[in-house]
């Protein structure tokens, strides 16, 4: 793919970054924060010769306090959009009891974004749940749906005057697989029945939340962030194509199909390529890899965008990025990914925005603080944000609405 010539993006294209509450805000008490300190988790980390304290989100990047520092980073990049999440446990610490001071802090933050010409995309659920919702059975229990809708109604009513874009759920398939099939994230289950119950409850929650958010304001644009993997069938062999079709359905499309009538846009999170050749994951010789060993395959996003065309909805790339502490590959990766996004747009895919993961370094779930995804480095002692060289590279694209 030749990314050397100048590539202009459509007018009003949203150039953003993405983050989530639990990964940057700090000071949260929810099912994740408790799990990070649980006996089972601590034991597991010690057995792997790791220090449990390095895997506790704690103050994270202190973003709930450092709003202005984060906005300064966005301005330095010239962003016109920002995707972030609110934390349910912060807003509704006890069932039905809302913390209006927390809501006011979010509102104030959003107003500052708007004043800076930055369009907010608000995610309502980016994985953790309040302890009381966990105790109801978490997402495995249908009892969580009504409280989730109550939280949705309260939050959307509170912030609606300043927000046009709402994302109900982040990566429901990743969460459900990691938490209920693979057993690596809380509540660490390995149970197919539980997995199906969770998926079912998330689908119901999304559909009903959609109606609530639309009733509050018919102009609201609503979607989810879907983590899609580019399954590439090697050599066009029938068996590989067949396996690919199954994987596309199971991983990329099943959830989106179930909510197809209740979404105004599609949020695409892109991180992975998977070569299919009489089985899955048949390639491990990527030219470039992230610090987490994730093979970098920028062309994959082109094929995924083309596949999403069938939904006939605007697409926002709501996450894409890499752990790269030394900033060796980030600029290259952004450039190649965007060249592929541009190619999809040129072929008619309605891509309306790109959100890089991430604005700043953050707490990477079960991997702790080691992976560095930020365009800005965070010093976890002082909470100072420092631009990596790729921040300048991305800023140039955002400011000119063009690559090259
Ligand atoms: C995505 C998650 C996000 C972040 C990135 C690296 O799957 O949505 O929170 O952890 O991966």
């Amino acid at each position: 793919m030749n990314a050397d010539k100048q590539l202009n993006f459509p007018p009003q294209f949203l150039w953003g970054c993405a983050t989530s509450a639990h990964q940057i805000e700090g000071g949260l008490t929810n099912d994740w924060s408790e799990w990070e300190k649980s006996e089972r988790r601590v034991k597991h980390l010690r057995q792997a010769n790791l220090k449990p304290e390095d895997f506790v989100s704690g103050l994270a990047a202190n973003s709930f306090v450092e709003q202005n520092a984060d906005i300064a980073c966005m301005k330095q990049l010239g962003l016109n959009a920002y995707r972030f999440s609110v934390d349910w446990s912060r807003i509704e610490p006890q069932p039905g009891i809302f913390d209006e001071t927390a809501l006011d802090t979010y509102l104030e933050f959003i107003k500052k974004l708007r004043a800076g010409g930055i369009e907010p995309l608000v995610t309502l659920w980016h994985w953790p749940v309040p302890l009381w919702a966990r105790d109801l059975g978490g997402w495995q229990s249908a009892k969580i749906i009504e409280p989730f809708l109550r939280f949705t109604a309260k939050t959307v009513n509170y912030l609606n005057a300043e927000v046009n874009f709402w994302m109900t759920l982040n990566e429901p398939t990743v969460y459900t697989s990691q938490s209920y099939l693979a057993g690596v994230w809380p509540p660490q289950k390995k149970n197919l029945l539980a997995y199906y119950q969770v998926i079912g409850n998330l689908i119901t929650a999304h559909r009903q939340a959609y109606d609530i958010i639309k009733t509050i304001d018919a102009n609201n644009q609503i979607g989810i962030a879907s983590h899609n993997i580019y399954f590439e069938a090697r050599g066009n062999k029938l068996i590989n194509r067949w396996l690919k079709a199954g994987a596309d359905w199971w991983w990329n499309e099943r959830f989106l199909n179930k909510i197809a009538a209740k979404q105004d846009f599609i949020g695409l999170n892109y991180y992975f390529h998977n070569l299919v050749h009489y089985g899955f994951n048949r390639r491990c010789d990527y030219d470039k890899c992230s610090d987490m060993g994730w093979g970098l395959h920028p062309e994959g996003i082109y094929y995924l965008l083309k596949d999403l065309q069938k939904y006939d909805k605007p697409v926002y790339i709501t996450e894409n990025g890499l752990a790269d502490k030394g900033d060796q590959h980030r600029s290259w990766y952004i450039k190649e990914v965007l060249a592929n996004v541009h190619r999809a747009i040129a072929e008619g895919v309605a891509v309306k925005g790109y959100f890089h993961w991430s604005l700043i370094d953050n707490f990477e779930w079960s991997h702790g603080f080691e992976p560095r995804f930020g365009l800005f480095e965070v010093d976890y002692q002082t909470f100072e944000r420092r631009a990596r060289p790729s921040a300048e590279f991305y800023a140039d694209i955002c400011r000119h609405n063009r690559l090259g």
Side-chain angles (χ1 to χ4, degrees):
M1 163 105 251
N2 176 9
D4 293 331
K5 60 178 203 256
Q6 255 190 19
L7 301 173
N8 294 306
F9 282 75
Q12 270 99 53
F13 197 81
L14 294 187
W15 291 107
C17 283
T19 60
S20 89
H22 191 75
Q23 295 177 271
I24 63 167
E25 277 187 6
L28 292 167
T29 304
N30 54 37
D31 66 328
W32 264 88
S33 69
E34 291 301 290
W35 174 78
E36 290 157 16
K37 293 175 275 186
S38 67
E39 216 175 293
R40 182 175 180 185
R41 176 71 174 152
V42 168
K43 196 168 152 210
H44 167 82
L45 291 168
R46 287 220 175 99
Q47 274 168 357
N49 257 334
L50 296 163
K51 288 194 203 136
E53 58 274 25
D54 293 344
F55 294 81
V56 173
S57 53
L59 287 180
N62 207 23
S63 284
F64 204 65
V65 174
E66 299 283 351
Q67 286 186 353
N68 293 341
D70 286 349
I71 293 177
C73 295
M74 297 176 215
K75 289 192 172 160
Q76 198 174 326
L77 293 172
L79 302 188
N80 61 7
Y82 180 57
R83 172 180 176 228
F84 67 101
S85 74
V86 292
D87 184 80
W88 184 2
S89 70
R90 197 190 273 295
I91 291 177
E92 194 180 356
Q94 298 298 327
I97 302 186
F98 292 93
D99 181 341
E100 301 222 339
T101 316
L103 281 162
D104 282 337
T105 308
Y106 284 123
L107 185 59
E108 195 189 320
F109 177 63
I110 292 169
K111 284 184 174 165
K112 285 185 203 164
L113 291 177
R114 281 231 165 274
I118 300 168
E119 178 81 42
L121 266 77
V122 180
T123 310
L124 291 164
W125 178 73
H126 198 124
W127 298 347
V129 298
L131 296 179
W132 56 264
R134 175 199 66 185
D135 296 341
L136 290 176
W139 282 107
Q140 195 184 336
S141 164
K143 286 194 215 134
I144 200 174
I145 296 173
E146 191 266 310
F148 179 72
L149 298 174
R150 179 179 66 202
F151 153 72
T152 297
K154 176 77 184 182
T155 306
V156 174
N157 269 313
Y158 215 95
L159 306 177
N160 186 58
E162 306 290 333
V163 179
N164 304 315
F165 291 92
W166 298 96
M167 310 196 64
T168 53
L169 310 175
N170 181 69
E171 298 188 350
T173 52
V174 172
Y175 168 80
T176 312
S177 310
Q178 295 286 75
S179 293
Y180 290 89
L181 271 189
V184 290
W185 291 352
Q188 290 202 275
K189 296 203 176 173
K190 292 184 186 177
N191 178 332
L192 192 61
L193 175 64
Y195 169 84
Y196 272 107
Q197 288 169 328
V198 174
I199 287 279
N201 290 332
L202 288 168
I203 289 169
T204 308
H206 169 83
R207 287 184 182 149
Q208 297 188 13
Y210 179 93
D211 289 342
I212 290 171
I213 304 169
K214 275 287 186 209
T215 308
I216 293 171
D217 184 342
N219 291 322
N220 276 324
Q221 297 299 296
I222 305 154
I224 66 160
S226 182
H227 176 116
N228 287 10
I229 296 173
Y230 172 45
F231 295 98
E232 181 188 1
R234 169 103 183 255
N236 223 15
K237 283 195 183 347
L238 188 63
I239 172 85
N240 295 343
R241 281 182 7 230
W242 194 72
L243 287 171
K244 171 187 163 53
D248 277 343
W249 171 77
W250 165 263
W251 186 261
N252 292 339
E253 294 168 2
R254 204 165 39 115
F255 202 95
L256 286 176
N257 292 345
K258 291 276 188 196
I259 62 162
K262 304 260 180 207
Q263 55 181 352
D264 302 312
F265 67 88
I266 294 179
L268 168 66
N269 290 3
Y270 175 63
Y271 294 96
F272 295 113
H273 165 251
N274 185 322
L275 186 67
V276 181
H277 189 45
Y278 302 109
F280 293 100
N281 270 320
R282 291 310 162 97
R283 184 179 162 189
C284 51
D285 61 332
Y286 293 90
D287 298 343
K288 297 184 172 72
C289 284
S290 81
D291 291 346
M292 295 172 85
W294 299 359
L296 301 175
H297 192 80
E299 306 91 81
I301 200 163
Y302 165 79
Y303 297 100
L304 290 175
L305 289 170
K306 295 284 280 186
D307 284 347
L308 290 176
Q309 234 174 338
K310 60 173 169 277
Y311 293 101
D312 201 19
K313 296 271 153 75
V315 179
Y316 293 87
I317 296 149
T318 40
E319 283 182 34
N320 167 249
L322 69 165
D324 183 11
K325 188 174 188 182
D327 210 37
Q328 288 167 10
H329 304 312
R330 196 173 278 105
S331 298
W332 168 84
Y333 188 61
I334 291 174
K335 174 177 153 194
E336 294 297 323
V337 163
L338 289 176
N340 280 285
V341 172
H342 191 274
R343 181 177 167 209
I345 295 173
E347 292 177 21
V349 187
V351 187
K352 304 289 184 191
Y354 171 86
F355 293 75
H356 190 76
W357 184 279
S358 185
L359 180 70
I360 53 175
D361 287 339
N362 52 64
F363 177 74
E364 183 49 29
W365 307 112
S366 54
H367 299 279
F369 285 104
E370 186 59 29
R372 299 284 187 146
F373 276 89
L375 286 161
F376 287 80
E377 180 187 348
V378 172
D379 177 329
Y380 290 113
Q381 304 304 314
T382 63
F383 301 119
E384 198 189 319
R385 280 89 166 120
R386 228 171 290 120
R388 293 198 162 94
S390 54
E392 195 45 50
F393 180 80
Y394 188 50
D396 196 54
I397 299 167
C398 300
R399 289 184 188 287
H400 298 103
N401 197 28
R402 74 159 189 250
L403 176 64

